[in-house]
Amino acid sequence: MNKRYLAAALGFPAALTSGTAAAETRLPPIIVTAPAQAGRVLPPQTVVTQDELVDRQPRSLADVLRGVAGVTVRANSRGETVARIRGAEERQTQVFLDGAPLAVPWDGRVDLGLLPAGLIGDVRITKGAAPIEYGTNTVAGVVDFQTRQSAQGSFAHAEAGSLGSGSASVVLAERIGAVEATLAAGGITRDAEPLAGPLPFSQASRSRRTNSDLDAASFFAALGTEQGDLRLRASVLHLAAERGIAPESDRPAEAGTRFWRYPDIALTQATLNLGLTLADHAEFRATAWHQDFSQRIAQYRSVSYAALRRTQDDDDSTTGGRIRLAHRLGPLDLRWAASAQSSTHRQVETDFPSGIAGPRLRYRQNLYSAGVEADAQLAQGIRATLGAAYDAVDNPLTGDKPRQPSLGAGAFSSALQFDLGSGAALTFSGGRRTRFPTARELFGEALGRFAINPDLRPEQAWLADVELRLTRTGFALTLNPFLIRSENTLAQRVVADGRRQRFNLSGATSFGIDARLAHDLTETLRLELSGTALSARADAGSAPIRRLPQRPSYEALAVLDWNVSGRFDLRAELRAIGKAIDLDAAGQRVELPAAAEIALRAAIPIARMGARDLVLTFAVDNLTDAQIFPQAGLPSPGRLWRIGLRFD
């Protein structure tokens, strides 16, 4: 991506924020993906509100999720920043934006580090057996982003930091008569990620991570209106980016280290949401989406990134929709939901130095889901929700690879809640979910890195949760023990020629507990504690190493927030990560040590401009420059400082 696009995003007219203050009322959001309703019992959910986003000073959607109990955010081996729920693979965590899936279906993943956080109004994280509206492949849980609307007001923020890092967001969210409009632009840039300690291979600098630069710019526009019982909102998101992929530094070049870059990434997604009230206790909602995605992967011969070995040009187009009908039938509240999505992937590989392009391969995957949920009041203070669905997949186009059979699987969920009084509630939930292999897992060779396995089977998971919530004035406690029994879990092994291959484990079991405590120590001082303890093991005899890789035994976050209204807001964070394991280039076990990092945040109002404040912000990430390895050879960034201005 040319730097001028990023400059355009960062320089998006600040005058946008000089308009009228946000209206006190707004059009209700058309949430098609599992809205909370009276009588509905949902599995464990965490909502990150706008106030919490301001406190955390996130730069990207990935930063929004850091510190949420049960959610791990990390960069994978392709340099993509992804979210995992309770140690599950990132493809088992579905990501939505305003009701539309955000991940590229070919890969089943989305890079959350490319989109600016300023676009988001709030986010809901659902863990466990997710409601049926989310459709296929929601095995571990869901991250559901909602874009900013007029009640949350306009917003602008720009910051700069060490190693050429910077980010900016400008959002105009206003209601004009019967129309609610949102316009947004943002950008994220860095010359390199900071390096906290020495690395043995493919690392020339002591301070800058090799090939870890990033430039991303995004634009968003939405219009909504309400006409009687009908509500509509149409939106479009465009992202353009380029970035490097840091090489694995735990192995020499001859061990298959990837020297890759993404010189061109582009995503455009259009979404249409509709809500229609039919009668008392009856409502129809629908979401339709279309996504175009393209990228170029450039593979180089050495760490100098001078001589190309091969390129891969990807082009994806996806169209889908979801409908939902809610109505009352006697003592039951029913929700019928159905969704369908079709995605086509086109791919060309070109070898160098000849520059001769190979054949243009086409792949297509279709996903379907349909089901029903029912809510019932069983007794005073006791509610239940039961659901059942059927998911299906077919792959009508398979490029030059073997044909695949159509597959289907049933899903179900149940949740039972007891109102214990005095702000306490106890919820039991569980169910079964299935994830079908993505087209890339079935057919993708990743520029010679993977040997395909046409016999991959769908993953299935049995999930069980218990959640205790206790809420008092200035105090909130959540305890959530969980159990996940997986069958046919996808894993990787190293084959004789050094390539990796995906295969199905017979099964794996994960269990642990998520917990969160928030307590107002005084009127201005708040304490937050959150974390997850996790054990994840493959069945005996199903894998050479039973402990599942890249699953820390615990993750914990302690926060002290000192907020004196109108004067300052200071925040200190301590994040601790337990031991984990990974596999090296030969498939052998590698120990990943426990680690901890400290982050500091400060926000100081410096001027009042009409109804808004101009705020000076300051942040330091990984203050002690701790070396943290979420996976072998690919450390997390070292110390990074940033300073900026916020206008809201």
Side-chain angles (χ1 to χ4, degrees):
M1 184 190 71
N2 194 297
K3 290 269 189 179
R4 66 177 180 270
Y5 296 126
L6 181 61
L10 300 182
F12 192 70
L16 286 177
T17 61
S18 64
T20 59
E24 292 184 0
T25 60
R26 66 162 174 164
L27 304 179
I30 309 168
I31 302 174
V32 182
T33 45
Q37 296 170 317
R40 186 175 198 179
V41 185
L42 292 167
Q45 281 199 339
T46 299
V47 178
V48 182
T49 65
Q50 186 61 221
D51 287 342
E52 291 174 303
L53 292 179
V54 169
D55 277 349
R56 296 180 183 187
Q57 297 186 24
R59 292 158 294 178
S60 67
L61 298 194
D63 292 339
V64 170
L65 302 175
R66 297 187 194 278
V68 176
V71 180
T72 299
V73 179
R74 67 179 186 91
N76 63 21
S77 61
R78 294 170 69 94
E80 300 159 329
T81 308
V82 295
R84 284 180 164 186
I85 291 180
R86 295 172 174 170
E89 293 292 341
E90 54 261 31
R91 292 186 180 94
Q92 295 182 348
T93 300
Q94 297 297 296
V95 180
F96 291 79
L97 181 70
D98 288 339
L102 194 55
V104 179
W106 160 255
D107 198 13
R109 298 186 293 201
V110 60
D111 189 346
L112 298 175
L114 300 180
L115 287 167
L119 177 65
I120 301 304
D122 55 54
V123 58
R124 290 178 296 139
I125 299 99
T126 302
K127 297 173 285 188
I132 61 171
E133 289 100 320
Y134 290 112
T136 55
N137 295 339
T138 54
V139 172
V142 173
V143 176
D144 201 345
F145 291 104
Q146 301 292 325
T147 54
R148 202 175 179 100
Q149 297 195 27
S150 65
Q152 291 148 334
S154 298
F155 168 86
H157 183 228
E159 65 179 11
S162 51
L163 297 185
S165 64
S167 65
S169 292
V170 177
V171 184
L172 172 65
E174 301 289 344
R175 185 172 183 180
I176 307 169
V179 176
E180 180 165 306
T182 301
L183 294 174
I188 301 172
T189 186
R190 66 172 181 255
D191 293 338
E193 287 185 344
L195 191 62
L199 297 174
F201 300 105
S202 302
Q203 184 60 49
S205 170
R206 293 179 176 270
S207 61
R208 296 168 175 251
R209 187 74 172 98
T210 297
N211 199 44
S212 59
D213 58 297
L214 166 67
D215 289 307
S218 60
F219 300 88
F220 177 83
L223 289 175
T225 188
E226 182 175 16
Q227 302 294 331
D229 293 330
L230 177 67
R231 303 189 303 281
L232 288 171
R233 189 173 192 250
S235 65
V236 62
L237 169 71
H238 178 70
L239 166 71
E242 63 172 311
R243 62 174 176 82
I245 303 174
E248 300 96 333
S249 60
D250 63 330
R251 62 198 67 171
E254 58 270 20
T257 302
R258 64 176 78 183
F259 301 113
W260 288 8
R261 289 189 59 80
Y262 285 99
D264 185 24
I265 302 171
L267 181 147
T268 301
Q269 182 155 308
T271 305
L272 177 65
N273 286 306
L274 176 149
L276 178 63
T277 302
L278 301 175
D280 289 342
H281 309 296
E283 184 180 47
F284 175 79
R285 298 188 184 191
T287 296
W289 60 87
H290 179 81
Q291 181 191 91
D292 287 320
F293 176 80
S294 63
Q295 69 178 6
R296 167 169 285 193
I297 306 173
Q299 182 184 25
Y300 292 84
R301 296 182 180 275
S302 71
V303 72
S304 67
Y305 295 92
L308 277 172
R309 181 188 298 273
R310 187 182 298 176
T311 61
Q312 177 179 307
D313 291 281
D314 296 333
D315 179 23
D316 294 76
S317 58
T318 301
T319 300
R322 180 188 305 104
I323 57 174
R324 173 184 176 274
L325 175 64
H327 65 96
R328 179 164 293 176
L329 181 63
L332 301 178
D333 288 316
L334 297 179
R335 282 176 303 280
W336 304 84
S339 62
Q341 177 177 276
S342 180
S343 181
T344 301
H345 173 81
R346 293 162 287 270
Q347 175 180 310
V348 176
E349 294 186 11
T350 304
D351 289 323
F352 290 88
S354 68
I356 299 175
R360 190 169 189 260
L361 303 177
R362 297 176 69 234
Y363 305 86
R364 179 171 295 152
Q365 186 173 79
N366 302 322
L367 296 170
Y368 311 94
S369 180
V372 62
E373 275 188 347
D375 305 329
Q377 183 83 33
L378 302 182
Q380 183 65 33
I382 305 176
R383 298 177 295 150
T385 294
L386 300 176
Y390 187 78
D391 302 331
V393 64
D394 65 77
N395 295 275
L397 297 177
T398 60
D400 58 352
K401 309 300 189 302
R403 303 287 294 182
Q404 288 286 316
S406 298
L407 300 171
F412 75 88
S413 59
S414 61
L416 181 66
Q417 185 174 86
F418 298 86
D419 184 352
L420 305 179
S422 301
L426 180 65
T427 304
F428 298 87
S429 62
R432 188 182 78 168
R433 292 290 183 267
T434 297
R435 186 185 79 85
F436 302 107
T438 66
R440 178 174 177 261
E441 288 174 309
L442 287 169
F443 312 120
E445 296 177 86
L447 297 175
R449 183 177 176 86
F450 276 90
I452 66 168
N453 182 354
D455 299 323
L456 291 181
R457 299 184 299 279
E459 299 176 317
Q460 288 190 327
W462 296 82
L463 307 116
D465 281 274
V466 180
E467 184 182 48
L468 174 65
R469 286 185 177 265
L470 179 61
T471 305
R472 302 278 194 274
T473 302
F475 179 86
L477 173 67
T478 303
L479 297 174
N480 174 205
F482 60 87
L483 173 67
I484 305 171
R485 172 59 191 170
S486 301
E487 298 173 353
N488 293 325
T489 306
L490 284 184
Q492 293 184 22
R493 60 191 173 199
V494 178
V495 295
D497 60 7
R499 290 184 296 169
R500 297 201 171 200
Q501 185 183 55
R502 297 180 178 92
F503 73 104
N504 292 97
L505 297 171
S506 63
T509 301
S510 300
F511 63 89
I513 184 169
D514 296 334
R516 182 178 185 271
L517 168 70
H519 180 40
D520 292 337
L521 302 176
T522 69
E523 290 185 357
T524 60
L525 192 62
R526 182 176 179 83
L527 172 68
E528 299 176 15
L529 300 173
S530 61
T532 298
L534 175 69
S535 173
R537 300 288 189 274
D539 291 349
S542 66
I545 300 172
R546 289 193 60 194
R547 184 173 180 180
L548 299 185
Q550 301 176 12
R551 273 80 166 178
S553 57
Y554 66 85
E555 293 188 71
L557 176 70
V559 176
L560 198 59
D561 193 294
W562 185 18
N563 187 355
V564 179
S565 181
R567 295 179 59 190
F568 59 80
D569 186 355
L570 305 178
R571 179 181 175 93
E573 302 177 354
L574 171 63
R575 177 171 172 254
I577 307 165
K579 294 180 179 180
I581 69 159
D582 202 357
L583 305 180
D584 64 13
Q588 299 300 307
R589 175 179 175 134
V590 176
E591 299 291 335
L592 303 179
E597 62 177 320
I598 296 172
L600 302 178
R601 306 281 186 266
I604 304 172
I606 56 175
R608 186 76 174 171
M609 305 177 69
R612 296 188 174 94
D613 287 322
L614 183 64
V615 180
L616 177 67
T617 63
F618 180 74
V620 180
D621 300 308
N622 196 358
L623 176 66
T624 60
D625 214 20
Q627 194 171 42
I628 302 170
F629 285 94
Q631 56 194 307
L634 294 168
S636 296
R639 180 171 50 245
L640 175 71
W641 62 264
R642 44 198 172 98
I643 188 169
L645 289 173
R646 188 177 73 229
F647 186 57
D648 61 1

